[in-house]
Amino acid sequence: MKRLAVLISGSGRNLGALIRHCEAGHIPARITTVIANRGDAYGLQRARQAGIATRVLAHGDYPSREAFDAALAAALDAAEPDAVALAGFMRILTPGFIARFSGRLLNIHPSLLPKYPGLQTHRRALEAGDTEHGATVHFVSEDVDGGPAILQSAVRVQPDDTEESLADRVMQEVELKIYPQAVAWLLRGELALRRNRVVFRDRVLDAPLGAEALEPCFR
Ligand code: GRF
């Protein structure tokens, strides 16, 4: 059984999906730790209810980004993760941290990257008049929200969408499906990062995989 660590800052809906798919055996792993940078992150309760060990490392307690990341790396190393999933973890990580976990470090971002890295992605998609919006799972590189994309899927933007309705649809129809799938591939050894390119089942990807690649249990 592989070991998964999850880093969160907030409500932890993506964490919840990872927990469910680990419990169902679709992801061949056990979540060995959930670490939050805020003690009030609701995802901590989801983890505790599932019997998962939690840690809070409040970034404000550390004098620098480097010191925080060193503490985070030490906490992760203690959990011996085969993969680390950033799931709504709202901290930019230092190059040293990223290098240490490179190839095992995934993020989910609520946009069709390379569109809209950073914050307020739903508002930006609406303001731009986009007809489609979605989310992307990518390997984490030093480039914020810019690491090699693995899996991406879209929903149609509806004329009456608000930021909230669009965010909710992207979460339910895209994020909660594509993240567990990508984590499962990584932990099964079907996915790798080589020379900053995504290798999926021994083939270098020229573009991210799409919704059609989802296995039935992740749809
Ligand atoms: C998600 O939209 C994720 O893509 C983004 O932050 C949000 C976290 O939501 N990075 P949750 O904590 O998983 O509910």
Side-chain angles (χ1 to χ4, degrees):
M1 192 70 110
K2 294 285 176 86
R3 300 165 66 87
L4 174 64
V6 185
L7 305 189
I8 61 167
S9 299
S11 79
R13 288 162 293 175
N14 280 292
L15 166 66
L18 294 170
I19 292 172
R20 283 194 299 282
H21 284 288
C22 285
E23 287 176 346
H26 305 148
I27 298 174
R30 187 164 80 74
I31 300 177
T32 53
T33 188
V34 169
I35 303 175
N37 66 316
R38 307 170 53 107
D40 61 357
Y42 178 70
L44 290 167
Q45 295 190 42
R46 297 184 200 257
R48 289 183 195 121
Q49 276 161 17
I52 298 166
T54 61
R55 276 287 296 274
V56 176
L57 294 179
H59 55 273
D61 292 348
Y62 297 86
S64 65
R65 215 172 260 287
E66 285 71 23
F68 174 70
D69 279 11
L72 190 59
L76 280 173
D77 282 343
E80 299 179 53
D82 295 293
V84 179
L86 307 180
F89 186 65
M90 304 301 285
R91 298 287 303 168
I92 291 175
L93 296 161
T94 54
F97 180 96
I98 291 166
R100 180 165 178 162
F101 294 98
S102 177
R104 324 182 249 165
L105 190 55
L106 298 183
N107 184 41
I108 177 124
H109 182 75
S111 80
L112 298 171
L113 289 171
K115 272 191 161 182
Y116 315 129
L119 300 174
Q120 297 177 330
T121 57
H122 310 296
R123 180 187 304 177
R124 288 152 72 197
L126 286 174
E127 282 173 359
D130 291 358
T131 55
E132 287 198 315
H133 182 50
T136 307
V137 182
H138 63 93
F139 279 110
V140 177
S141 72
E142 286 183 26
D143 194 2
V144 176
D145 299 326
I150 298 161
L151 177 59
Q152 180 171 80
S153 170
V155 295
R156 298 218 54 89
V157 177
Q158 304 296 340
D160 58 349
D161 260 327
T162 61
E163 223 178 304
E164 291 70 33
S165 67
L166 184 56
D168 193 53
R169 210 157 62 257
V170 168
M171 175 62 69
Q172 298 301 328
E173 292 181 21
V174 181
E175 296 193 46
L176 300 184
K177 300 178 181 184
I178 66 173
Y179 209 14
Q181 172 70 83
V183 170
W185 283 332
L186 181 65
L187 287 167
R188 286 189 212 141
E190 294 181 292
L191 195 61
L193 178 66
R194 274 186 221 130
R195 295 192 194 129
N196 216 36
R197 308 285 302 271
V198 177
V199 178
F200 179 64
R201 298 180 182 154
D202 297 321
R203 197 170 59 86
V204 176
L205 294 188
D206 294 321
L209 296 161
E212 68 287 345
L214 290 172
E215 293 162 7
C217 64
F218 296 105
R219 285 188 183 163

